[in-house]
Amino acid sequence: MAETVPTQTTTQSRGADLVSPAERADEVFLEGPRSRFAEFCTLLRVMRDFLRGFRTLHFVGPCVTVFGSSRIKPDDPHYELARKMGAAIARLGFTVMTGGGPGIMEAANRGAKEAGGRSVGCNIELPFEQASNAYLDHCVRLHYFFVRKALLVKYSYAFVVMPGGAGTLDELFEALTLIQTGKIKNFPIVIMGTDYWKELIGFVEKMALRETVGPSDLSLIFATDSVEEAIAHIRSKAIQPFGLKRVAHLRRHFPWLGERGLSGKGPAIC
């Protein structure tokens, strides 16, 4: 008897990738194999996302990315902590990068702007969220989550993880895995809001005891609620090891290539 092979049926038209809403981009991408033409259209949209990100972020200078929940309200103590951390990062000379949305992201960007620093965001188009916050010098708006995560990592020399949900966990372990496997340098990861994260930190320690991660992997995470301690850790683990230094001006950009530069507010490190 001949073996039957399952087939996938789809009602998607050949040009659906070109006309489907932007917030459905990941859904369309992940729904399985489609026609060659549809897959090629997806590839073009992914390339467009990356190109838009490269052109916008190439000239913002070295960044510190702050991860955290979009649902945190301004009256939450963690909002104020993120705001203070954003200001301290900016005073250190880094550009503050976030996902560009509300909550913790807004707080970090706001702190950077209030301190006279540089503030950028990588926003994502979703059906239920999220509008860009009002404290961004530049914002790149993306269709694909995986492109956004790659850009949040690509330009950063350190990562600050504030209280958040599934998306924040995803971003934390993305950065941690890339460092652990040597795909990116040993950039510092600072976890803030230790009471919120204490069970997670305990679980990472449990993984080390069970030898599912190496004992040295525990040193990749620095947990504190002190802005001063966090900044000292970033200074010692990011600025000094990678030879960053203060410069008067950021590098020149060329608008005719679609590149976007910042105004060069304040001293930068490069």
Side-chain angles (χ1 to χ4, degrees):
M1 182 176 177
E3 183 179 352
T4 59
V5 179
T7 59
Q8 180 176 0
T9 60
T10 178
T11 59
Q12 187 143 347
S13 67
R14 297 176 70 230
D17 274 2
L18 299 178
V19 298
S20 60
E23 62 268 18
R24 291 195 61 242
D26 279 298
E27 178 188 346
V28 172
F29 177 76
L30 295 170
E31 69 181 6
R34 292 160 297 130
S35 72
R36 293 180 179 87
F37 180 78
E39 299 287 53
F40 181 70
C41 291
T42 295
L43 176 61
L44 292 179
R45 294 189 74 173
V46 171
M47 291 174 60
R48 183 179 63 182
D49 255 17
F50 272 117
L51 182 62
R52 184 185 293 120
F54 292 163
R55 288 291 183 255
T56 302
L57 301 173
H58 186 69
F59 297 93
V60 300
C63 299
V64 172
T65 296
V66 179
F67 300 127
S69 174
S70 64
R71 305 183 185 191
I72 297 293
K73 304 301 181 184
D75 59 352
D76 190 299
H78 292 124
Y79 183 99
E80 186 60 26
L81 180 62
R83 183 178 173 183
K84 291 178 179 178
M85 191 62 195
I89 292 168
R91 286 193 290 266
L92 194 58
F94 286 100
T95 299
V96 172
M97 177 182 285
T98 74
I104 291 293
M105 296 172 281
E106 175 187 289
N109 291 131
R110 179 178 178 180
K113 289 285 286 182
E114 291 172 343
R118 300 176 305 278
S119 173
V120 298
C122 293
N123 211 328
I124 188 75
E125 297 189 2
L126 297 173
F128 53 89
E129 62 177 56
Q130 58 196 5
S132 299
N133 68 65
Y135 303 98
L136 300 171
D137 294 312
H138 278 338
C139 181
V140 56
R141 194 162 182 83
L142 305 165
H143 298 133
Y144 296 96
F145 261 112
F146 69 92
V147 175
R148 182 201 201 193
K149 285 200 299 179
L151 294 176
L152 288 171
V153 170
K154 177 177 174 62
Y155 297 96
S156 289
Y157 281 74
F159 306 96
V160 176
V161 184
M162 302 292 296
T168 303
L169 285 172
D170 184 29
E171 292 158 342
L172 163 61
F173 283 104
E174 173 88 2
L176 184 60
T177 300
L178 290 171
I179 295 169
Q180 180 196 47
T181 55
K183 296 299 183 181
I184 60 176
K185 300 294 184 181
N186 192 11
F187 300 130
I189 298 175
V190 179
I191 290 182
M192 305 192 76
T194 54
D195 184 66
Y196 181 88
W197 292 116
K198 62 184 178 182
E199 289 85 5
L200 177 67
I201 295 169
F203 185 72
V204 173
E205 293 170 346
K206 179 180 179 180
M207 289 193 288
L209 288 174
R210 297 291 183 90
E211 299 182 347
T212 53
V213 300
S216 61
D217 293 332
L218 294 177
S219 66
L220 300 178
I221 296 176
F222 179 75
T224 181
D225 290 325
S226 166
V227 172
E228 292 75 19
E229 288 181 0
I231 290 299
H233 184 72
I234 292 172
R235 181 184 289 111
S236 65
K237 297 296 184 180
I239 293 180
Q240 297 168 5
F242 300 105
L244 299 176
K245 59 183 180 180
R246 294 272 180 172
V247 297
H249 303 287
L250 297 177
R251 71 182 86 173
R252 183 182 178 189
H253 68 284
F254 298 101
W256 55 274
L257 289 177
E259 297 169 346
R260 301 174 63 192
L262 289 177
S263 60
K265 308 168 189 146
I269 56 174
C270 288

